[in-house]
Amino acid sequence: MITYRLFDSLSDFEQKNIRADNQQLSFSKNALYAAAVTVGSPYKYHNSNYFPKEILNWKTNIIHTFIDKSSLHLRFKNVSFLESSEKGAVGFFIGMIFAHLYAQIQLEIKFTEHLSNESITPNLRPGNRSRPDLWGIAKSGQSYLIEAKGSFDSSDFSKIDYIRKAETQLKNVTSIDFKYSTNQSKTYKGSNLKKIIVSTFAKLPVRVTKKNQTPGIPNQIYLDVIDPEGAEKKKVTVDGDEMVFKYYYFLVSMLSDQEREEKFLNGTAFILYTIPCEGLKIGLMKDIYNLLNIYVKEYEENIQNNLAKSADFFRESNLYRKINGDEQDTGILNLLEGKRHEIETDAETKTLFSVGIDGVVVITE
């Protein structure tokens, strides 16, 4: 669990006018590992028929090494052993993890798209290529642009200039042209394109009294969620079918290459891989795995044979519709939703199993 605060604007953040304080974001420890694995799709696909399991180990080890999960409220640990540039790199990734968790749990966004991926088509003004980190569509139909920030020091977020940089990246996009399946498209802008900054930080010890620094329990993790104001006329085009493919690509590629097992949870089949050093099993709903594995193999064969990707490679797949669902298709994840709730709330399984809104499962052995 972590505590977060809501601010209605950048000026409210500067003046510390908090709309909602001491809000609780609750999730299992296993959900934290799942977020680390799924956030931020690969920037580009590699000329290889597998995704190295060392990457999986690195992602989960970030959680194991720097986040203390022994108490109800999460805290940072081992940070003092890092020098400043190492803190920056680790803090950035942890900020992405918690922004992704906030999006999935609080906003009910199934999968987020990292807007720096090579397939994203921007329409930006010359000389300004900065973009926010994540974008996704909530269950309600509302879409969100999210800029993630992460630091081990709350004083970073006391500096208004630091948050203004995040606001600038959000302002660089005013519309998302979202295309999926054949001839399906929608433009998100104005009230349908909400923008937020999610900053992850540790509160400083109570003895700290500098202006704008927030006293609290040392190293305990907190979020500030800020709704900035203003925008410029720039647009980004996202292919929904490719977005879904990239979101699951790492897991599917890894599961197809490693020793895997099948496990049923409440009648739903999952494909799992064991992470020996962590005592965890991580995997994916079997129906999603079977569907995507066909495209992963075909895509990787094309790369090995130096074949260019067809412009319609993903769109003709209807992956977004088949997995997420729309007016014409129920979608695999919608069929999972009721069973997922039973697994997550069952007294005997909720501490051992985490089944995400995206169909990703993590099991503690």
Side-chain angles (χ1 to χ4, degrees):
M1 175 186 295
I2 54 176
T3 300
Y4 67 93
R5 308 180 297 181
L6 297 175
F7 297 89
D8 283 333
S9 68
L10 191 64
S11 60
D12 280 348
F13 174 79
E14 185 174 11
Q15 299 299 321
K16 299 303 176 188
N17 295 324
I18 303 171
R19 173 163 62 88
D21 200 0
N22 293 318
Q23 303 298 297
Q24 303 300 318
L25 188 68
S26 299
F27 49 86
S28 69
K29 297 172 184 178
N30 288 343
L32 192 60
Y33 285 105
V37 172
T38 55
V39 68
S41 307
Y43 179 68
K44 57 179 66 176
Y45 307 112
H46 301 274
N47 188 12
S48 169
N49 61 357
Y50 73 97
F51 219 97
K53 61 183 179 182
E54 289 83 1
I55 297 296
L56 176 67
N57 293 336
W58 175 79
K59 285 173 176 281
T60 54
N61 270 320
I62 289 287
I63 302 299
H64 181 73
T65 305
F66 296 108
I67 296 182
D68 182 355
K69 306 178 294 298
S70 61
S71 59
L72 179 62
H73 290 274
L74 299 180
R75 299 173 72 178
F76 287 130
K77 65 178 182 179
N78 297 329
V79 177
S80 62
F81 294 94
L82 301 179
E83 54 87 24
S84 58
S85 61
E86 292 172 329
K87 287 180 181 179
V90 175
F92 168 78
F93 184 57
I94 288 177
M96 290 282 288
I97 291 171
F98 283 107
H100 182 65
L101 268 175
Y102 182 84
Q104 288 201 317
I105 297 169
Q106 195 65 27
L107 306 179
E108 295 188 295
I109 295 174
K110 292 175 183 174
F111 12 77
T112 57
E113 169 74 301
H114 199 291
L115 294 185
S116 66
N117 280 317
E118 61 180 0
S119 61
I120 304 299
T121 305
N123 181 14
L124 304 176
R125 291 178 182 175
N128 192 343
R129 310 299 297 175
S130 63
R131 284 171 276 179
D133 291 314
L134 303 170
W135 176 78
I137 304 172
K139 185 178 180 180
S140 64
Q142 173 74 60
S143 79
Y144 289 84
L145 276 172
I146 303 171
E147 175 61 19
K149 294 294 182 185
S151 172
F152 297 115
D153 186 350
S154 66
S155 63
D156 284 342
F157 296 100
S158 303
K159 302 170 184 175
I160 195 64
D161 288 344
Y162 191 88
I163 297 301
R164 279 178 178 156
K165 291 179 181 178
E167 181 201 29
T168 298
Q169 290 174 275
L170 287 171
K171 287 173 65 176
N172 283 343
V173 177
T174 57
S175 67
I176 300 282
D177 285 347
F178 182 62
K179 302 177 181 180
Y180 71 97
S181 304
T182 305
N183 300 323
Q184 299 292 318
S185 64
K186 182 174 181 178
T187 297
Y188 291 89
K189 61 182 179 179
S191 60
N192 280 334
L193 185 62
K194 194 168 181 61
K195 302 175 181 181
I196 60 173
I197 300 165
V198 179
S199 64
T200 303
F201 64 94
K203 281 193 175 180
L204 295 175
V206 175
R207 66 178 181 272
V208 174
T209 58
K210 278 188 177 182
K211 182 181 179 181
N212 287 334
Q213 292 187 349
T214 308
I217 300 173
N219 295 322
Q220 185 168 318
I221 301 174
Y222 294 82
L223 299 183
D224 276 344
V225 181
I226 306 159
D227 183 3
E229 303 166 322
E232 298 178 15
K233 295 182 178 179
K234 302 179 182 182
K235 121 182 134 170
V236 170
T237 301
V238 176
D239 186 308
D241 298 298
E242 187 166 4
M243 175 180 76
V244 169
F245 178 87
K246 288 185 298 183
Y247 183 82
Y248 293 107
Y249 174 78
F250 172 72
L251 266 180
V252 174
S253 180
M254 181 200 64
L255 288 168
S256 65
D257 182 68
Q258 309 296 331
E259 290 188 11
R260 57 190 182 275
E261 63 176 287
E262 182 175 332
K263 185 177 183 64
F264 283 84
L265 298 176
N266 200 21
T268 300
F270 292 85
I271 304 297
L272 301 169
Y273 164 70
T274 299
I275 309 174
C277 62
E278 298 292 345
L280 298 172
K281 293 182 179 180
I282 188 165
L284 185 61
M285 196 176 173
K286 184 179 180 180
D287 288 347
I288 296 177
Y289 172 81
N290 288 341
L291 174 62
L292 286 168
N293 195 33
I294 298 171
Y295 293 97
V296 168
K297 288 180 177 178
E298 182 179 352
Y299 192 88
E300 291 177 342
E301 286 174 3
N302 286 351
I303 292 177
Q304 289 181 331
N305 296 323
N306 295 317
L307 298 177
K309 174 174 70 73
S310 166
D312 296 323
F313 179 86
F314 295 109
R315 193 166 300 163
E316 293 177 352
S317 69
N318 291 327
L319 289 175
Y320 181 82
R321 174 182 292 169
K322 291 174 182 176
I323 294 176
N324 182 74
D326 64 5
E327 297 85 357
Q328 302 178 40
D329 198 314
T330 302
I332 295 172
L333 289 177
N334 289 328
L335 297 175
L336 170 69
E337 186 56 29
K339 295 181 179 180
R340 188 180 75 86
H341 179 72
E342 292 176 10
I343 295 170
E344 291 278 275
T345 56
D346 186 276
E348 295 183 3
T349 62
K350 67 179 182 179
T351 59
L352 301 176
F353 302 93
S354 172
V355 181
I357 193 173
D358 52 5
V360 176
V361 62
V362 176
I363 300 176
T364 301
E365 294 186 299

